[in-house]
Structures are given as structure tokens and as C-alpha cells.
């Protein structure tokens, strides 16, 4: 319980605007100032939480570690967090092999189709990404693979089990790689937006 209270106080200090003041005795004191709190979400405080980028992808292969993380962070016997942000991956171009951290290699639920139905595994430098199947509007045709992100889903499912009222938010750091200008989910060659404007609606 002591650790839980400490974590909550620490988070409160980090989230609430504060005014440092040095007293006559030379000791620096911090005064919280709720009147200057953020107007985000109309000032309504919804709870405490964490983002799953990218620890869920690192732990999710292990049922034991996934369960332990869910209990430690989201159960009443743990920290009792009540918000989790789920990282929806963009996958990556199969010819690319530049992401060195395994936990940041997030698969994408959207899987492009290829002419002739060839399967192009991520990291296959010999893949032919010019062979993407396209429709009459020249948009890439893709299927949905809801089993693609097993590891994060494993953690998320266990969080939901230990805290049925948890608030789940989805976010993404990149569109699917085949919807980008650079054909890469890690970014473009300059500071321009990487999402191909023709894919705005699809994304």
C-alpha cells in the first residue's frame, strides 16, 4: 500500500502544475496549484494509466509475465491503474530490417495482398513490394489478421480480466507501412507528413 500511495503522489506532482519556492531556510518547497491544471478533456480527471508501447509486446509471449504485469499494475492488490493505452502497430515493409529492438517491431492487423498471393514476411529483403495488389483506384488491397498482435493482446486481455472496468484507449505511431509516402512505418526522409494523402480516409 505504501508503494501504491507513493506512486499516486508522484504521478500527481508530475501531472499538476506546480510552483517551486525557496523558503528563508534555504529549503526548496513545491506548492501544487490545481487552478492552473490542464483544460484537456474539459478538466475532467479520468484516472491513472500507462501506455503499452512497447512493454506489452516484450512481455506478451509469456503468459506468466503477462499475468504478473496485469496484476501488479491494474488489480486492486497492485497499483490499481484504470486506463491502458493500446499501441496499434503499423507493421513494416518486408524489405526493411532496420528496427533493432524486438519489442518495437509491432505487427499490423492490416496485411497487404500481393499479386499471385505471395506471402512477404517482415524482414524479407528479397520481397517484391512492387507486386502489391491494387484496386481500380490504385489503392493497396489488404486483409485483416486479428491474430497478428498476439503478445500485446495477451497482456491486454489479462488486464481486462483483473480490472473489468479498465478504460482502454487505442493509439498508433504510424499508419500501415503501405499507406505511407516512404513505404516505411519508421518515418519519411524529411519532416513532411508521411501518410499518403490518398490514404487519409482508409487510415
Amino acid at each position: 500500500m505504501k508503494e501504491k500511495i507513493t506512486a499516486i503522489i508522484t504521478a500527481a506532482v508530475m501531472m499538476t502544475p506546480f510552483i517551486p519556492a525557496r523558503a528563508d531556510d534555504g529549503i526548496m518547497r513545491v506548492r501544487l496549484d490545481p487552478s492552473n491544471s490542464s483544460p484537456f478533456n474539459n478538466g475532467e480527471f479520468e484516472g491513472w494509466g500507462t501506455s503499452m508501447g512497447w512493454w506489452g509486446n516484450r512481455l506478451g509471449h509469456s503468459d506468466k509475465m503477462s499475468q504478473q504485469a496485469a496484476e501488479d499494475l491494474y488489480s486492486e492488490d497492485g497499483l490499481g491503474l484504470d486506463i491502458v493505452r493500446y499501441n496499434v502497430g503499423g507493421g513494416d515493409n518486408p524489405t526493411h530490417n532496420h528496427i533493432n529492438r524486438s519489442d518495437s517491431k509491432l505487427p499490423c492487423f492490416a496485411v497487404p495482398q500481393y499479386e499471385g498471393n505471395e506471402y512477404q514476411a517482415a524482414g524479407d529483403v528479397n520481397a517484391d513490394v512492387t507486386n502489391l495488389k491494387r484496386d481500380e483506384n490504385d489503392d493497396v488491397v489488404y486483409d485483416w489478421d486479428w491474430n497478428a498482435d498476439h503478445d500485446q493482446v495477451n497482456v491486454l486481455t489479462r488486464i481486462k480480466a483483473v480490472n473489468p472496468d479498465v478504460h482502454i484507449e487505442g493509439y498508433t505511431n504510424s499508419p500501415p507501412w503501405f499507406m505511407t509516402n516512404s513505404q516505411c512505418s519508421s518515418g519519411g526522409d524529411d519532416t513532411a507528413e508521411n501518410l499518403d494523402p490518398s490514404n487519409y480516409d482508409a487510415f
Side-chain angles (χ1 to χ4, degrees):
M1 179 58 85
K2 180 179 178 182
E3 291 79 5
K4 182 175 181 179
I5 293 173
T6 301
I8 291 174
I9 292 174
T10 301
V13 171
M14 291 173 64
M15 294 177 62
T16 306
F18 61 89
I19 301 173
R22 188 175 299 279
D24 293 338
D25 56 10
I27 298 175
M28 180 68 76
R29 291 178 172 81
V30 175
R31 175 172 58 86
L32 300 181
D33 186 9
S35 66
N36 284 328
S37 62
S38 171
F40 180 75
N41 197 42
N42 295 319
E44 180 182 349
F45 182 75
E46 292 185 306
W48 307 99
T50 182
S51 168
M52 289 182 68
W54 296 305
W55 64 268
N57 195 37
R58 179 181 288 269
L59 301 181
H61 68 91
S62 165
D63 290 344
K64 181 178 180 180
M65 287 193 294
S66 298
Q67 184 65 31
Q68 189 69 54
E71 293 177 2
D72 288 347
L73 295 174
Y74 285 90
S75 74
E76 283 302 312
D77 294 329
L79 286 178
L81 301 179
D82 45 23
I83 298 176
V84 59
R85 298 181 69 231
Y86 176 79
N87 189 354
V88 182
D92 204 6
N93 189 320
T95 66
H96 294 185
N97 196 22
H98 53 75
I99 301 176
N100 297 319
R101 288 182 46 165
S102 60
D103 55 353
S104 61
K105 291 183 178 180
L106 289 174
C108 185
F109 292 118
V111 180
Q113 293 183 22
Y114 291 81
E115 296 292 348
N117 296 320
E118 302 97 331
Y119 174 72
Q120 310 287 357
D124 180 1
V125 295
N126 297 313
D128 182 8
V129 296
T130 64
N131 203 28
L132 290 171
K133 189 173 183 179
R134 297 180 179 273
D135 62 18
E136 63 277 5
N137 298 315
D138 202 35
D139 294 328
V140 174
V141 178
Y142 55 91
D143 296 317
W144 297 104
D145 178 5
W146 298 115
N147 296 315
D149 193 15
H150 168 272
D151 293 351
Q152 279 198 123
V153 171
N154 189 24
V155 178
L156 188 66
T157 301
R158 292 168 189 275
I159 289 173
K160 181 70 174 174
V162 301
N163 184 350
D165 298 322
V166 69
H167 180 72
I168 301 171
E169 298 177 351
Y171 77 99
T172 185
N173 293 317
S174 172
W177 66 269
F178 54 84
M179 290 186 180
T180 66
N181 286 316
S182 67
Q183 297 287 279
C184 178
S185 61
S186 292
D189 297 327
D190 51 34
T191 58
E193 184 173 336
N194 198 25
L195 175 59
D196 184 337
S198 68
N199 288 316
Y200 276 19
D201 290 343
F203 181 53

